[in-house]
Amino acid sequence: MDNTVKQKPLTLKNKIGYGIGEFGECTGYNLFYFFFLFYLTDIVGIPASIGGLISSIAVFWDAVTDLAIGYISDNFTSKYGRRRPLMIGVAIPYAIVTYLMFCSFDMSMDAKIAYSIILSIVFWTCYTVYTIPYFALGAEVTQVFEKRTSLRLYAAVFLHAATMIASSTPPMIVQKSIDMGMSVEKGWSNVGLLIGLVILVGIVVCWFCTKGRELPAEKTVVKKEDKVNIFRTIGQIFKLKPTVPLAVATFCGAFVCTMASNGMVYIMTNKLGFNAGMQSLLLLIIPALAIVFLPLISAFTKRFDKRTVFMFCLGFGGISLAIYSFIGITGVTSLVIWGVCYQIANSSLWALYYAMMYDISEVDEFKYGKRREGIITASMAFFQKIGGSAALWVTGMVLNSGGYDGTLDVQPDSAVTAIDSICTIIPGIVYIVGCIALIFYPITGKRYKALLIALEAKKTGKEYSTEGFEKML
């Protein structure tokens, strides 16, 4: 099937509109990863080990459904495209469940646990139905190697802006609610309400601004004989040489992002004793650092391959965080410097891994003759979510082993040591593992261009050679 399409030029409206879609993805994602475990332990009163398990179960469920939604998205047929109908269809349920997830009721502990499990699972199901088609749409919005990097850099700006909103506004919203005479529990339900509205607006804007950028229906329809078993499809994707190294690096990056996000909240609250205003300020500054690094990442990817830049950033972040286990985070200055080291690696993850993931689509098409951006996106998202799930479980277990008790005003020294470890040595080691994995990722700009020439020749029935990109196969 010839999927080559001469698309209209990628406009600023398309880039910004697609990027705004990150408010639908990233605000909910970061609200959960920054605050949900803290909300369970310190507001609802659930023990840290159980809270970590609840969060881990929900994210693991999300990882499993990623693959199913990716397969559905690839095989979905509609005159409006494969991706956008799913995105807009889940917008309202996704916003509502975000609100409900942060509503607490006067229930028994068992009922609170059950409620948290059910609502968090529904939340991640809605999240997946939106985000897998959204990410896969990026490979259809443009099929040009360099334009994909540009598109994802625009999206990365909004991604980090959404992160800043999700990380910095909750403490302020809660404090403002308390100042207005509301309870702390009502303050957190206000957080869920406002973030839910941001999610809804982001999805709707993205839906309008990407209209007409999908591949035409005749270029995406999957023939009946091509609809093979989902497990066979997944197996084919993971036989592609670039898949496993990128999946491992993605797992590691998501693990650290999740653990560090939780760690920042716990370290500011329980070690440094910062008030809501200072927490909000630092949770605005540290995510903002990622935006500062994006132009540098963009410049370096034009001179070096995406893989090289990604490897360097993960390696630098890993070594820096490991060193911090000896230095320690002792105040505002050291926390901000820690944030610089962390965000160099973290910003490279969210700017580059999606673009690298899209490039696998052409390797898949060359080898198997099919365009399966949805299942490729879902496969990477699976490892991203497994990384996040593992980090939540490990974080809960580390805090519990240190004797952390969310009902105490002052934590024991062992709990403070545990909090330090989830911000320094553990994420440092994991980043280094991700850096090593990328050594085996074979796609470079030169090889990719050679692949496109051969792919075009193959689809038009002309002679072709794998010379110049054989290492990708």
Side-chain angles (χ1 to χ4, degrees):
M1 179 172 61
D2 185 354
N3 290 312
T4 302
V5 179
K6 290 186 177 180
Q7 295 178 302
K8 295 179 180 178
L10 194 63
T11 66
L12 184 61
K13 173 187 173 182
N14 298 145
K15 293 179 182 180
I16 292 177
Y18 181 81
I20 289 174
E22 288 290 351
F23 285 105
E25 184 270 330
C26 206
T27 45
Y29 179 96
N30 280 287
L31 178 65
F32 186 95
Y33 279 119
F34 271 95
F35 293 107
F36 189 63
L37 180 56
F38 176 81
Y39 172 76
L40 294 180
T41 59
D42 288 47
I43 307 303
V44 182
I46 295 175
S49 58
I50 297 177
L53 182 60
I54 290 171
S55 303
S56 181
I57 288 171
V59 178
F60 182 80
W61 165 261
D62 177 43
V64 174
T65 56
D66 279 344
L67 299 172
I69 297 302
Y71 186 78
I72 291 169
S73 178
D74 279 343
N75 292 278
F76 189 79
T77 54
S78 165
K79 65 180 181 179
Y80 301 108
R82 296 185 291 177
R83 321 295 184 187
R84 292 171 68 256
L86 295 173
M87 292 163 56
I88 197 66
V90 79
I92 292 177
Y94 182 14
I96 292 173
V97 76
T98 302
Y99 164 67
L100 292 176
M101 191 168 63
F102 285 89
C103 289
S104 60
F105 302 97
D106 186 13
M107 301 183 289
S108 67
M109 181 57 68
D110 288 344
K112 289 179 179 179
I113 292 172
Y115 179 86
S116 299
I117 291 173
I118 293 169
L119 266 293
S120 58
I121 285 175
V122 175
F123 167 83
W124 281 110
T125 302
C126 293
Y127 170 90
T128 299
V129 174
Y130 169 69
T131 55
I132 294 302
Y134 168 69
F135 290 141
L137 181 65
E140 296 188 14
V141 168
T142 179
Q143 296 180 275
V144 181
F145 186 80
E146 293 81 5
K147 294 295 183 182
R148 284 176 174 173
T149 303
S150 174
L151 180 71
R152 280 311 312 174
L153 286 170
Y154 269 84
V157 172
F158 289 98
L159 181 154
H160 293 299
T163 300
M164 291 162 59
I165 292 172
S167 63
S168 66
T169 59
M172 291 189 292
I173 294 170
V174 173
Q175 187 60 53
K176 185 65 175 177
S177 300
I178 293 172
D179 293 342
M180 294 173 65
M182 303 179 194
S183 65
V184 66
E185 291 82 5
K186 179 60 177 177
W188 279 101
S189 68
N190 290 339
V191 168
L193 175 63
L194 293 174
I195 296 299
L197 290 174
V198 171
I199 288 170
L200 180 62
V201 171
I203 294 174
V204 172
V205 171
C206 177
W207 185 78
F208 275 109
C209 292
T210 55
K211 184 178 181 181
R213 297 304 305 188
E214 311 98 322
L215 290 176
E218 65 271 15
K219 298 295 182 181
T220 60
V221 65
V222 180
K223 296 178 182 179
K224 186 175 181 179
E225 59 270 23
D226 288 339
K227 291 186 178 181
V228 297
N229 183 281
I230 184 173
F231 297 106
R232 180 182 170 189
T233 300
I234 294 168
Q236 290 176 342
I237 297 301
F238 278 90
K239 286 180 181 178
L240 300 172
K241 288 187 71 175
T243 303
V244 172
L246 185 58
V248 173
T250 300
F251 172 94
C252 293
F255 184 100
V256 175
C257 181
T258 301
M259 181 168 280
S261 298
N262 279 274
M264 278 190 280
V265 175
Y266 280 104
I267 208 163
M268 287 190 294
T269 303
N270 296 286
K271 180 181 179 181
L272 302 179
F274 293 157
N275 59 30
M278 180 60 73
Q279 288 188 38
S280 293
L281 178 61
L282 289 168
L283 287 171
L284 180 67
I285 291 172
I286 292 176
L289 292 171
I291 298 179
V292 174
F293 295 129
L294 288 178
L296 293 175
I297 292 172
S298 176
F300 281 118
T301 55
K302 292 175 181 178
R303 184 170 181 180
F304 305 100
D305 289 309
K306 286 176 274 192
R307 177 189 67 170
T308 303
V309 176
F310 197 8
M311 283 176 58
F312 172 81
C313 291
L314 289 188
F316 175 84
I319 294 171
S320 300
L321 296 189
I323 291 173
Y324 249 96
S325 65
F326 301 99
I327 299 173
I329 300 173
T330 57
V332 173
T333 302
S334 61
L335 181 59
V336 172
I337 295 173
W338 172 91
V340 170
C341 299
Y342 161 63
Q343 288 294 9
I344 287 174
N346 189 53
S347 61
S348 72
L349 169 70
W350 302 114
L352 299 179
Y353 119 70
Y354 295 111
M356 294 167 71
M357 172 183 71
Y358 295 155
D359 297 338
I360 298 176
S361 299
E362 280 71 37
V363 179
D364 180 37
E365 185 178 7
F366 182 85
K367 191 166 184 178
Y368 295 110
K370 304 168 187 176
R371 290 199 66 89
R372 298 182 288 195
E373 296 92 340
I375 199 66
I376 291 171
T377 299
S379 298
M380 291 299 112
F382 175 83
F383 276 85
Q384 177 189 328
K385 307 304 173 42
I386 289 295
S389 176
L392 287 167
W393 180 77
V394 172
T395 298
M397 294 302 294
V398 170
L399 291 174
N400 191 65
S401 67
Y404 182 85
D405 184 346
T407 63
L408 297 177
D409 292 330
V410 179
Q411 298 296 328
D413 291 342
S414 58
V416 174
T417 300
I419 291 171
D420 276 330
S421 70
I422 64 175
C423 290
T424 57
I425 187 64
I426 298 175
I429 292 172
V430 175
Y431 262 156
I432 291 171
V433 172
C435 174
I436 294 171
L438 287 173
I439 295 173
F440 304 97
Y441 180 81
I443 298 180
T444 65
K446 185 177 180 180
R447 292 171 184 168
Y448 182 83
K449 290 176 181 178
L451 167 68
L452 289 185
I453 293 172
L455 179 61
E456 179 63 23
K458 182 179 181 179
K459 290 190 293 186
T460 55
K462 299 178 182 178
E463 291 187 7
Y464 62 90
S465 169
T466 60
E467 183 179 356
F469 65 95
E470 61 275 0
K471 289 185 178 181
M472 291 165 53
L473 304 175

